[in-house]
Structures are given as structure tokens and as C-alpha cells.
């Protein structure tokens, strides 16, 4: 019995030592992978950095900063492959995009370059993992034979992990990415949903789309103005007519972060029918982290208004004026509720303008007036330098004879389900406005337009206010009809240091649509 007990004790002791060696070798191997660094690889026109890291879930992450990230569940092995898009060879990208013969060869070129880069990364990671396991066991146990055993164990484990990654590789996952960042608002990096197929061979074409579209987007982003935080500017994100489209929250969150806005002004129609069931949708407001000024639209009920008011950062204005982030803002809810068919709706322009005019006495030197309908906004002519509105689902800007500018926003929700009613999709639109912190006057604004349903376009157009300090004159009793042309100047322009101008780009220097011209 004593012999058996001693044998058990020896076996247990050896098993414990082997387990300890395996644990130390595993830790050393993972540390080696962590310290293996990044492999630089040219994939078509894109310069990439590739790295491999241990993880609980097997996935591939494409970091397309500053656009955001794409995550693909490509395999089951506990490794994460991270591909960072570091630079775009503009000349090479232009050749690929314009030469049909090179475009046809692009799938094969991308696949070859990507495999070469991954192959280099695997070799480096294996060498570093093996060295890490060997050194870790040697440092802990100080016996070369034991260290070699640890190296052998780590090699077997790494080989098994590699086999698992190879056998569980899912090419079809490339057409089912998870978006985060600005690309979540317009997932153009992998093409439209209509082009997505699930066949095995499709991953080659999807890789091509990924690289070519990133090339186009980087070319656009490189020309956009970049704004440094400036204490003299108050940044306002103007959104409108979301119509319970969830994609609007992705757009708003991304623009809020990208442009570092101080507050958001929503000029109504956040809902579609103003029902209690739609109230859940507005809870996203509470997660934005900046003041959210809201005025009721003709599709928003009093129930909708109350649901918005419950959000901790919401400022609901209905014939009220508040100072928000340094701006005195007066807001007036729309008098109509069109989903209620039991009541008649007076949408006569003269009546709507008169409705705004009757509330003029309640405006006390407001820096900004927010209403839902631009026609109502005309009633505030001469009482404020700036009126923000929506309702029309088409962006426009008008300078009234009194000096009051009315900026009508398009639909930040792409008109919601109404986008399906028209042959042409309704674009997703928002604007970032820059106010001087001392004078509270508008200095410039950027109009952001994302392609609507099925489209893959992104435009940012710069306008600079030519006379920010202009005199605002009270409106005459019988105001003449407004006239004029676009008073904002598109970028690039020479401006004061506060406004960083971007370089010219064909995508940015488009002609304004009819809705972007002044009325």
C-alpha cells in the first residue's frame, strides 16, 4: 500500500509540474504574440498594418479610421486579426479605379496581397510565441529540458489553434460585417445590400469593394475641414424629421463625436404618428451626452413631447426661451397634428406665418429661433438673426430682407418609411453650425448629406456667413417676399483662422440641388 501511495504521490507531483509548465508556456506564448508587433502590408492601393492578438472570440477587425471599424466573425479560433488601414496610395488607387483592365485584376491582386501579409504575420507570431514560451519556462524553472518541453507544448497548441482557424474560416462572413463609428450611418465600405450574396466565391468581390470604396472615402475625407476645439465657437448640430428611423441615431452620434458639438437642435417630427408605442424610440436622446433641444413637429403629439421631456438632457421648447450652451434659444411647437384625421388642419401659408408672428412678443433677443415649418419661421423675421426649421424634407436656406436667415433642414431620418414611396431615395441630412461665443452670431456651417436608401454617397459642403454682424431690422407690417441668392460661400474659401478650410474635391464641389438653393 505504501508503494501505491508513493506512486500516486509521484504521479500527482509530476502532473502538477507538467500542468505548471503548460500554464507558464501558454502565458509566455500569449505574451510573445502580444509583443510580436505589426506587419506592414500593401493590399492593392491600401497600406495596412496587421496584428494578431489572443481573444475569447475569433474575429477579424478592419480599422478604417476615421470612418470607423468593421468586424467580421471569420473563424472560431481564439485569435483576433486586426487590419488597420493606415494610408491610401492615391495615385495607385486612381489607376485601379479608372483603368478597366486593372479593375478586372484587382480581386486577384487584393487576395494575393492579403494572403502574403497574413502569411508574414503568422510566421512572425509563431516565432514570437515560441520564443515567449521558451523564455518564460526557462526563467521560471531554470532547466533547459523543461524549457524545451514548454516549447513543444506551445508549438502543439499553436498548431491546433491554426488548424482550428483554417478549418473554421467562413468566407461568407465578409458580407455580414458589424459596423461601428461613422460607417454605421452609411455602410458603403462593403457595397449595397442588393449586391450581397452568400455564395463562397463572393468574398473575392467583397474584398474588392472594401478596398475600392475605402480608397474613395479616404480621398474624400482627406479633403474635409478638420476643426480644432476653439473656445470662441459654439457648435450646434441641427437635425430634423427623423420619423423614427433608427439609422438617424447612428448619424447623430457619429456627427456629435466627429464635430465635437456642444448641443443638438431637433426641429421636430421625431415620430411618425405620435403614438405611445413610439415613445421608446426617443430614449436614445438620453444617451447622447449633450443638450438636446426639441420643438414639436406636425407628426409629434403632446405624448411625444412629454416622452422627449423625460430624457435627462432634453430641453423641450414650446413658446419658451432658454439659454442652452451659451445660446438664447426660443422654440415654438407646430400647431398641427396631422395624424389626427378627426380634426381639420389649417396649412395655409399665410395662416402659418401669422401664427409665428403672433408669438413675436415672447421672443426676447433670442440668438436662435427653432420651429418645425420654415413658413412659421418667416413670422419671426426681424426678431432674431437665425431661424432653424425642417418639415420640407429638402434642405434650403433663405436670407430675409430683415437680415434673418432661415435654414430649413432636410430629413435626418431619410423621411423614414416615406423613402420607399418615391423613385429617388430621400438623402439623410444634417448640418453643423458654428456660432461665435462672444457675439452669438453664426460664422459658418457645414451641410452633411448621406445617400438615401440604396445609395453610397457622402457629401459635406462648407458655407461661410458673409456678414455675421449684419443689422437685423424689424419686419414691416406688410413684409415683401424674400429674395436673394445663396449667401453662404462653398469651401474652399479663404477665411479667418477659426475656420479650417479643406482642399477642393470633386465629391465636395458638386452643384447644389434645387433644395439647397435659396428660395
Amino acid at each position: 500500500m505504501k508503494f501505491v501511495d508513493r506512486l500516486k504521490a509521484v504521479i500527482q507531483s509530476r502532473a502538477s509540474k507538467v500542468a505548471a509548465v503548460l500554464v507558464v508556456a501558454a502565458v509566455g506564448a500569449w505574451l510573445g504574440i502580444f509583443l510580436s508587433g505589426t506587419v506592414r502590408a500593401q493590399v492593392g492601393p491600401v497600406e495596412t498594418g496587421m496584428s494578431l492578438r489572443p481573444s475569447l472570440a475569433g474575429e477579424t477587425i478592419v480599422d478604417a479610421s476615421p470612418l470607423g471599424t468593421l468586424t467580421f466573425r471569420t473563424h472560431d479560433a481564439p485569435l483576433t486579426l486586426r487590419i488597420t488601414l493606415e494610408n491610401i496610395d492615391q495615385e495607385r488607387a486612381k489607376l485601379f479605379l479608372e483603368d478597366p483592365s486593372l479593375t478586372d485584376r484587382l480581386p486577384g491582386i487584393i487576395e494575393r496581397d492579403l494572403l502574403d501579409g497574413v502569411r508574414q504575420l503568422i510566421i512572425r507570431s509563431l516565432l514570437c510565441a515560441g520564443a515567449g514560451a521558451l523564455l518564460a519556462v526557462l526563467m521560471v524553472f531554470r532547466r533547459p529540458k523543461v524549457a524545451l518541453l514548454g516549447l513543444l507544448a506551445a508549438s502543439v497548441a499553436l498548431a491546433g489553434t491554426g488548424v482550428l482557424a483554417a478549418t473554421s474560416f467562413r468566407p461568407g462572413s465578409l458580407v455580414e460585417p458589424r459596423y461601428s463609428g461613422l460607417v454605421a450611418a452609411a455602410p458603403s465600405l462593403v457595397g449595397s445590400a442588393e449586391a450581397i450574396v452568400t455564395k463562397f466565391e463572393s468574398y473575392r468581390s467583397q474584398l474588392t469593394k472594401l478596398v475600392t470604396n475605402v480608397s474613395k472615402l479616404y480621398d474624400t475625407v482627406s479633403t474635409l475641414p478638420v476643426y480644432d476645439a476653439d473656445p470662441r465657437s459654439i457648435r450646434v448640430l441641427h437635425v430634423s424629421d427623423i420619423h423614427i428611423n433608427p439609422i438617424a441615431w447612428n448619424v447623430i452620434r457619429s456627427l456629435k463625436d466627429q464635430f465635437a458639438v456642444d448641443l443638438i437642435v431637433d426641429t421636430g417630427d421625431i415620430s411618425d404618428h405620435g403614438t405611445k408605442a413610439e415613445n421608446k424610440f426617443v430614449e436614445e436622446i438620453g444617451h447622447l451626452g449633450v443638450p438636446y433641444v426639441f420643438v414639436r413637429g406636425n407628426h409629434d403629439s403632446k405624448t411625444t413631447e412629454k416622452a422627449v421631456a423625460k430624457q435627462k438632457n432634453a430641453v423641450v421648447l414650446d413658446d419658451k426661451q432658454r439659454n442652452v450652451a451659451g445660446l438664447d434659444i426660443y422654440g415654438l411647437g407646430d400647431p398641427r397634428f396631422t395624424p389626427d384625421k378627426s380634426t381639420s388642419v389649417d396649412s395655409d401659408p399665410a395662416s402659418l406665418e401669422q401664427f409665428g408672428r403672433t408669438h413675436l412678443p415672447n421672443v426676447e433677443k433670442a440668438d436662435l429661433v427653432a420651429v418645425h415649418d420654415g413658413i412659421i419661421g418667416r413670422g419671426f423675421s426681424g426678431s432674431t438673426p437665425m431661424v432653424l426649421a425642417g418639415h420640407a424634407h429638402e434642405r434650403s436656406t433663405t436670407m430675409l430682407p430683415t437680415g434673418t436667415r432661415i435654414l430649413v433642414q432636410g430629413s435626418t431620418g431619410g423621411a423614414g418609411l416615406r423613402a420607399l414611396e418615391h423613385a429617388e431615395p430621400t438623402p439623410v441630412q444634417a448640418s453643423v453650425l458654428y456660432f461665435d461665443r462672444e457675439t452669438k452670431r453664426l460664422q459658418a456651417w457645414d451641410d452633411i448629406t448621406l445617400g438615401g436608401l440604396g445609395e453610397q454617397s457622402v457629401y459635406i459642403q462648407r458655407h461661410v456667413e458673409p456678414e455675421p454682424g449684419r443689422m437685423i431690422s424689424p419686419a414691416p407690417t406688410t413684409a415683401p417676399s424674400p429674395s436673394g441668392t445663396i449667401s453662404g460661400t462653398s469651401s474652399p474659401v479663404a477665411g479667418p483662422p477659426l475656420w479650417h478650410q479643406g482642399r477642393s474635391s470633386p465629391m465636395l464641389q458638386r452643384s447644389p440641388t434645387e433644395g439647397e438653393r435659396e428660395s
Side-chain angles (χ1 to χ4, degrees):
M1 289 294 293
K2 289 184 179 180
F3 174 76
V4 173
D5 291 339
R6 285 183 179 179
L7 182 61
K8 286 182 179 179
V10 170
I11 293 174
Q12 289 175 352
S13 176
R14 288 184 176 178
S16 299
K17 287 181 180 180
V18 170
V21 169
L22 293 178
V23 170
V24 172
V27 172
W30 290 135
L31 285 175
I33 292 176
F34 269 117
L35 299 174
S36 61
T38 301
V39 170
R40 311 292 173 185
Q42 184 83 28
V43 180
V46 182
E47 298 173 11
T48 68
M50 300 183 182
S51 60
L52 203 61
R53 295 291 182 266
S55 64
L56 296 177
E59 57 188 13
T60 298
I61 298 175
V62 178
D63 184 353
S65 180
L67 305 173
T69 60
L70 300 171
T71 303
F72 306 88
R73 295 299 301 273
T74 50
H75 54 276
D76 294 329
L79 292 170
T80 292
L81 171 63
R82 189 176 191 91
I83 302 175
T84 303
L85 310 184
E86 298 182 343
N87 194 21
I88 300 290
D89 186 333
Q90 299 292 345
E91 293 300 322
R92 196 176 184 194
K94 188 175 181 180
L95 288 175
F96 278 117
L97 296 173
E98 295 179 354
D99 190 332
S101 61
L102 288 176
T103 301
D104 293 338
R105 291 167 47 203
L106 188 56
I109 294 172
I110 292 173
E111 186 176 0
R112 184 193 66 227
D113 292 346
L114 193 59
L115 289 175
D116 287 345
V118 171
R119 192 178 296 114
Q120 293 179 37
L121 177 63
I122 291 174
I123 292 173
R124 176 186 285 191
S125 298
L126 286 174
L127 291 175
C128 291
L134 183 66
L135 290 174
V137 176
L138 188 60
M139 290 175 63
V140 173
F141 295 96
R142 302 182 182 280
R143 295 174 60 184
K145 289 184 178 180
V146 176
L148 291 174
L149 175 64
L151 174 61
L152 177 62
S155 299
V156 172
L158 290 169
T161 303
V163 170
L164 178 59
T167 56
S168 62
F169 177 62
R170 293 181 290 272
S173 65
L174 291 172
V175 298
E176 298 177 348
R178 185 172 71 249
Y179 309 97
S180 62
L182 188 58
V183 291
S188 59
L189 292 183
V190 292
S192 65
E194 295 176 358
I196 293 178
V197 292
T198 56
K199 294 180 181 178
F200 177 84
E201 293 297 327
S202 69
Y203 86 100
R204 299 176 79 240
S205 64
Q206 294 300 326
L207 283 174
T208 305
K209 286 185 179 181
L210 178 64
V211 174
T212 55
N213 284 331
V214 163
S215 299
K216 293 177 182 177
L217 286 170
Y218 260 84
D219 182 56
T220 302
V221 171
S222 66
T223 68
L224 299 184
V226 178
Y227 304 101
D228 296 326
D230 193 309
R232 291 176 294 171
S233 65
I234 301 173
R235 305 178 186 199
V236 178
L237 175 60
H238 179 205
V239 302
S240 191
D241 296 83
I242 292 173
H243 288 290
I244 62 170
N245 188 345
I247 197 175
W249 295 127
N250 294 331
V251 174
I252 291 170
R253 277 193 297 269
S254 296
L255 294 178
K256 172 185 71 76
D257 294 335
Q258 289 275 13
F259 290 87
V261 302
D262 298 292
L263 72 150
I264 300 168
V265 176
D266 184 341
T267 48
D269 276 5
I270 195 172
S271 66
D272 225 1
H273 298 91
T275 61
K276 189 175 181 180
E278 295 170 277
N279 289 350
K280 182 76 175 174
F281 178 78
V282 308
E283 292 179 2
E284 285 293 328
I285 293 172
H287 303 302
L288 294 174
V290 295
Y292 192 95
V293 179
F294 175 79
V295 293
R296 189 179 66 252
N298 63 296
H299 281 266
D300 302 319
S301 64
K302 291 286 188 177
T303 301
T304 306
E305 190 177 71
K306 290 178 182 177
V308 173
K310 289 180 180 178
Q311 309 311 309
K312 58 185 178 182
N313 56 323
V315 180
V316 175
L317 299 179
D318 188 8
D319 195 21
K320 293 179 181 178
Q321 185 167 321
R322 287 271 302 275
N323 186 286
V324 184
L327 290 176
D328 285 322
I329 304 175
Y330 172 85
L332 179 63
D334 199 282
R336 301 161 292 179
F337 181 50
T338 50
D340 185 1
K341 304 302 181 184
S342 63
T343 59
S344 60
V345 177
D346 186 1
S347 293
D348 177 64
S351 299
L352 291 175
E353 185 172 341
Q354 181 59 31
F355 174 78
R357 193 173 293 115
T358 57
H359 290 82
L360 272 176
N362 301 333
V363 181
E364 299 178 5
K365 296 182 179 180
D367 303 311
L368 175 66
V369 168
V371 296
H372 178 60
D373 195 328
I375 297 175
I376 296 175
R378 291 176 183 271
F380 293 93
S381 177
S383 66
T384 179
M386 189 76 198
V387 174
L388 298 184
H391 184 64
H393 296 182
E394 188 175 23
R395 181 190 285 136
S396 64
T397 178
T398 303
M399 178 69 77
L400 300 178
T402 59
T404 295
R405 178 183 291 282
I406 298 180
L407 196 157
V408 177
Q409 190 56 267
S411 173
T412 312
L417 294 178
R418 289 168 180 76
L420 302 175
E421 299 173 356
H422 310 290
E424 295 296 326
T426 302
V428 174
Q429 296 182 320
S431 299
V432 178
L433 295 80
Y434 303 88
F435 291 83
D436 185 272
R437 191 170 292 276
E438 294 181 2
T439 66
K440 311 299 172 63
R441 289 296 188 94
L442 180 71
Q443 304 294 309
W445 74 97
D446 291 330
D447 287 334
I448 299 114
T449 303
L450 303 172
L453 185 65
E455 291 193 346
Q456 303 174 35
S457 58
V458 181
Y459 300 103
I460 299 184
Q461 187 171 9
R462 159 62 57 84
H463 303 278
V464 174
E465 185 69 90
E467 296 182 75
R470 65 188 178 277
M471 181 179 293
I472 309 300
S473 306
T477 306
T478 305
S481 59
S483 61
T485 57
I486 289 183
S487 51
T489 305
S490 299
S491 65
V493 297
L498 174 59
W499 312 114
H500 299 266
Q501 308 302 328
R503 295 170 289 161
S504 61
S505 166
M507 292 188 69
L508 297 177
Q509 300 303 313
R510 62 187 179 95
S511 299
T513 62
E514 199 167 299
E516 290 175 322
R517 297 190 179 97
E518 292 202 359
S519 14

